[in-house]
Amino acid sequence: TDYPQFERLTAKINRERKLRWVLHAGDIKAGSTPCSDAMFYDRLERYNQFRAPVILTLGDNEWTDCHRLAAGEYQPLERLDKLREVFYPEPGIVTLGGRSMRVNTQAEIPGYESFPENVWWQRHGVLFSAIHVVGSSNALAPFAEGSAAVRTEADDAEVAARIDAAVAMLDLVFAKAQAEDAPGVFIMIHANPGLERGQRGTEDREGFVEFLTALEQHTKAYDKPVVLAHGDSHYFRIDQPPLVNDGFIDNFTRVETYGSSHVHWIRVRVNPRSEQVFSFRQELVEGNGE
């Protein structure tokens, strides 16, 4: 039932001739639907319908949570390997979408060859990056009871390696931003790392502390506009929440995109000559609900 909504979204975005690229913050399927190869290839075909380049960061629904009974009781790491094969076949060379775009990939850095999905690129001095940080406590959540899938030491090791890679990506991006006096930094992850107060994930930030700590330190030292965009909890918002320590950081903005039954998009305007650099506008797709 969501396919017609997504097709209307695709058509509207394709009419926007000035868009440079499309970012997708993960969750390419519902958590309770099968994590099959057929589903992966279906999504690949759909994302390739966008005329602009598409940069995807992976979400928890398509691999982390695939141990669930309704999702097919897959071993998550096996699904992660398949996702990388399908969506990142030529790291750094081929993005998704009808028009490809060259990006820099962490897979080209010794020691991080297994992370083709972690990428960065630059336009008019502004730095952009997609980093693999997922919901479900960044893949630390227990597997479903009764599932044939069994959590092993390899699953824990994967989380540790991916956190290390994510922090290394932040280090790289901000070092480049500092060295080149970049006007701004835009980072996309999938997970909602519990930034909002009084809602899910505020106290328990298991799996996210290292990433948020590094982001906070870099943002304060950089002292120019930094945006963290994410999905996961499917609640549209633009705000300036604290990261790790209880304090307002005036150059930090969080943007959460639409998701689930609200199939809309957010336009990000980037003006390197503007003091704020980034501005945002809701783009509601007619016929796609509220």
Side-chain angles (χ1 to χ4, degrees):
T1 58
D2 288 336
Y3 291 164
Q5 296 186 61
F6 190 80
E7 288 161 6
R8 285 192 290 269
L9 172 78
T10 305
K12 181 169 183 179
I13 288 177
N14 281 343
R15 289 194 292 271
E16 298 282 345
R17 298 295 181 177
K18 293 184 179 181
L19 286 183
R20 293 294 179 181
W21 49 73
V22 174
L23 303 181
H24 192 309
D27 274 359
I28 66 175
K29 59 174 286 293
S32 58
T33 56
C35 300
S36 64
D37 287 6
M39 186 278 297
F40 291 172
Y41 285 109
D42 173 88
R43 298 305 188 267
L44 177 65
E45 181 178 353
R46 292 179 187 278
Y47 300 152
N48 282 336
Q49 296 303 309
F50 287 104
R51 291 193 177 121
V54 176
I55 294 90
L56 166 72
T57 191
L58 299 174
D60 53 2
N61 286 358
E62 50 263 31
W63 74 272
T64 307
D65 299 336
C66 291
H67 56 78
R68 296 175 181 174
L69 277 67
E73 300 179 87
Y74 290 92
Q75 288 295 142
L77 296 187
E78 184 275 330
R79 290 290 79 191
L80 177 56
D81 287 343
K82 186 64 179 180
L83 284 163
R84 285 171 171 157
E85 174 189 322
V86 172
F87 292 103
Y88 310 97
E90 297 181 74
I93 299 174
V94 178
T95 55
L96 306 177
R99 187 174 73 250
S100 188
M101 181 177 77
R102 174 76 191 195
V103 293
N104 303 286
T105 173
Q106 195 175 27
E108 296 171 341
I109 300 175
Y112 297 102
E113 292 85 354
S114 59
F115 297 97
E117 67 273 18
N118 287 345
V119 298
W120 78 99
W121 65 101
Q122 199 165 6
R123 184 170 179 82
H124 297 313
V126 180
L127 280 158
F128 302 84
S129 181
I131 305 177
H132 193 176
V133 180
V134 294
S136 298
S137 298
N138 209 3
L140 285 172
F143 283 17
E145 291 187 13
S147 171
V150 178
R151 190 177 185 94
T152 68
E153 291 182 0
D155 294 282
D156 296 332
E158 186 281 331
V159 176
R162 193 163 34 78
I163 290 174
D164 173 71
V167 171
M169 277 291 293
L170 288 178
D171 293 345
L172 184 156
V173 168
F174 279 97
K176 189 173 181 63
Q178 292 277 19
E180 299 181 5
D181 196 25
V185 171
F186 185 103
I187 295 166
M188 177 179 68
I189 63 175
H190 165 258
N192 176 355
L195 299 183
E196 60 282 351
R197 295 181 177 276
Q199 297 188 26
R200 178 181 64 84
T202 307
E203 299 299 328
D204 180 9
R205 291 182 175 179
E206 182 183 28
F208 304 125
V209 173
E210 296 92 339
F211 180 84
L212 291 176
T213 299
L215 179 60
E216 180 178 83
Q217 292 171 348
H218 284 304
T219 299
K220 288 181 175 179
Y222 175 55
D223 200 30
K224 290 185 179 181
V226 174
V227 171
L228 177 68
H230 69 79
D232 193 16
S233 44
H234 312 299
Y235 183 89
F236 168 70
R237 66 185 119 201
I238 300 172
D239 58 8
Q240 291 186 289
L243 286 168
V244 176
N245 297 302
D246 188 12
F248 175 74
I249 305 175
D250 60 2
N251 62 315
F252 174 75
T253 301
R254 180 263 295 271
V255 179
E256 180 168 4
T257 190
Y258 294 97
S260 190
S261 59
H262 300 287
V263 189
H264 308 294
W265 60 289
I266 300 171
R267 184 191 302 271
V268 183
R269 295 187 184 275
V270 183
N271 181 358
R273 294 178 295 278
S274 166
E275 183 178 356
Q276 299 302 319
V277 181
F278 305 101
S279 61
F280 312 93
R281 191 175 83 188
Q282 299 166 266
E283 296 287 352
L284 301 182
V285 180
E286 186 177 354
N288 283 3
E290 297 179 358

